Every structure is written in C-alpha cells, then in structure tokens.
Amino acid sequence: MKRRALLIGGSGQLGTELWRQGEHGWDITAPSRTRLDAFDAQALSAAVEASLPDLIVNCSAFHVVDLCETRFADALAVNALAVSVLAKAAERIDARFVTVSTDYAFDGAGRIPYLESDAANPIQAYGISKVAGERAALSAHPEGAFVIRSCGLYGHAPSRQKSGNFVLARLADATTKRIIEVGSDLVCTPTSAADLADGILNLLENGAAPGLYHLTNSGSCDWATFTAEIYRTASVSSQVVGVNRGGSYAPARRPAYSVLDCSKAEAASVSLRPWQEALADYVSAIV
C-alpha cells in the first residue's frame, strides 16, 4: 500500500513538480486553494486530522517580496503561523513534515556560500516571516520536520502570486525590446523547481535526518548573467546590459549575496546539477 502524503500548495511551481514526481511512491492528496486556504489555521489542522498522512509537505507561501513590506501580517499568517500549525499537527500524528524556505534568511553581507549553521539575519519582511516559520517548524516537530531553503525557483506551473517566473518574464521582455537592463548586483543560484522537487523526494527516500537543509542547483550567478544564459539557450538576439543597482530594489531590500552551501544535503547523497544544465532543459521545453 502506498504511503499517504498531504500536499499544501500543490498547484504552484514546486507543488506541481512534487505531485508529478511523487505519485509513483505516494498516495498524494493536494487540496486546491479554494478548498484549503493557508490563511485558515483551523482548516489546515482539520485537513491533517481528516487525512492522517504519513507525510505533510507545505509549498504554500506568501512570497511577493515587496508586498510583504505592506502586508506583513498576511506574510506572517502564511509563512509562519500556517507552518507552525502544520508542524504541530504533524507531530501529533507522528508524520514527517517538509516546508520550504528561502535564501532571504540571510543579509547578504558575506561572500562565501552560507551554511545551515550560519546565523539567519533577514533584511526584509519576507525573510523575517520565513525565518519565523523555519523556527516554528523545527521547534514544534524536532524529530520529524525538514526545512528546505532554496532560491529563485522557476518551473512549468507559473507562480500564481507572481504571474509567471523570472525566465518567462525575461523571454517576454525579449519580444518587445532589443536591449534589456537587468540587475548585476545580486548573486544567488536560480533553481529549477523540477530539480528541487527531485532533491526533496530523494532526501526523504535516503533516510536523511530531520532538520534544516540548503538545496539549490549548483554554482552561482547574478541575474544579468542568468538572463544572458536564458537568451543564449533560447537563441534570442536581445542584448542584456547588467546594471549595478547597489541593492536598491525598493520597497524591500535584497541580500547582495545569498548563495547557499548544499554540502549537508550532499552528505545525504542529494545534489542538484549545475544551474546552466537545469536552465537549458527548462528552456528547451518551453520554446
């Protein structure tokens, strides 16, 4: 008999991939947002009690970074309170719990990939709410919670809140512009949702210990370099001009450097391929 999994946020970029890739090994229940809203803490708890899953995966998030500055209460409700509710519910029924967090846990002052043991120091409301969710999950269910930090997701199911993703937005720009300015001052690791989903499932299957993990494609780049690689791979002739904005992306501040060290996941036999390879596969599937 298949193990049971409850997937919250199953229609998003990562949730869609987890559902698709996990179906062979799990009996997955993934309520739509109209049936189960992450803002409704009571409904979340009731959903867990009704399905009694072996695994709960939370892909829901309030992740429009700038909007979090003016809707901090909403960001906390989804990114922290809902996580706490789900982690406590998972602990009550002895289920494993996975929730996804962000490289924005860090302030970006460093220039060496961040370890899980490095102190979190978010510099915007979004990061603060996500770190609160991390701590809530690990505190509520230390024996069964997995917190997965990643970065810059793009996938085949467009983000509802963001109306797409970075790759699709830059390809759209190229249909109307020959010269496109893109920030060159933020360094991170854009990550394929398909690759991240595969990595999360492998962590679970490999018997990795619960806790905090960094998981991204390997390597790093700034967003202008990433855009240039999108255009090269898609055979787009538009020219990318990198612009150093000095971190000024008002209203929310962004970390200048947020590359994550994924060696802990690698020690559990989970590693993701270089970002260039992941991007090439994604672009070839959509153009």
Side-chain angles (χ1 to χ4, degrees), residues 44-69:
L44 291 172
S45 186
V48 173
E49 299 294 340
S51 58
L52 295 177
D54 303 295
L55 170 68
I56 302 167
V57 181
N58 176 43
C59 294
S60 66
F62 194 93
H63 56 71
V64 180
V65 175
D66 290 327
L67 194 58
C68 289
E69 296 294 310

Side-chain angles (χ1 to χ4, degrees), residues 87-170:
K88 290 175 181 177
E91 194 276 336
R92 284 196 301 272
I93 64 170
D94 195 27
R96 287 187 291 178
F97 175 59
V98 176
T99 193
V100 181
S101 193
T102 176
D103 58 316
Y104 278 28
F106 298 109
D107 59 16
R111 281 299 180 271
I112 313 170
Y114 286 98
L115 295 162
E116 291 87 348
S117 57
D118 289 330
N121 187 31
I123 56 175
Q124 73 294 110
Y126 170 67
I128 292 168
S129 69
K130 294 295 282 186
V131 169
E134 295 178 0
R135 292 173 177 169
L138 296 171
S139 174
H141 196 12
E143 301 302 317
F146 294 77
V147 174
I148 312 295
R149 286 183 184 144
S150 196
C151 173
L153 287 189
Y154 59 89
H156 294 290
S159 167
R160 181 182 58 83
Q161 291 181 24
K162 296 181 178 180
S163 302
N165 63 49
F166 186 89
V167 179
L168 295 176
R170 299 295 77 76

Side-chain angles (χ1 to χ4, degrees), residues 19-98:
W19 196 351
R20 181 181 67 81
Q21 296 182 35
E23 277 189 308
H24 67 281
W26 296 86
D27 179 8
I28 301 174
T29 300
S32 66
R33 186 172 179 270
T34 56
R35 287 180 53 214
L36 183 60
D37 193 331
F39 281 101
D40 190 338
Q42 185 174 353
L44 291 172
S45 186
V48 173
E49 299 294 340
S51 58
L52 295 177
D54 303 295
L55 170 68
I56 302 167
V57 181
N58 176 43
C59 294
S60 66
F62 194 93
H63 56 71
V64 180
V65 175
D66 290 327
L67 194 58
C68 289
E69 296 294 310
T70 54
R71 293 178 58 184
F72 188 48
D74 288 337
L76 284 173
V78 176
N79 298 340
L81 177 59
V83 174
S84 178
V85 168
L86 289 168
K88 290 175 181 177
E91 194 276 336
R92 284 196 301 272
I93 64 170
D94 195 27
R96 287 187 291 178
F97 175 59
V98 176

Side-chain angles (χ1 to χ4, degrees), residues 96 146 202-210 213 268:
R96 287 187 291 178
F146 294 77
N202 283 332
L203 271 180
L204 295 170
E205 293 303 317
N206 291 354
Y213 289 87

Side-chain angles (χ1 to χ4, degrees), residues 170-171 173-180 227-241:
R170 299 295 77 76
L171 288 172
D173 287 345
T175 63
T176 59
K177 302 174 185 176
R178 293 189 64 254
I179 298 177
I180 296 162
T227 304
E229 186 67 9
I230 294 169
Y231 292 167
R232 187 192 70 79
T233 305
S235 298
V236 170
S237 60
S238 295
Q239 179 185 352
V240 178
V241 176

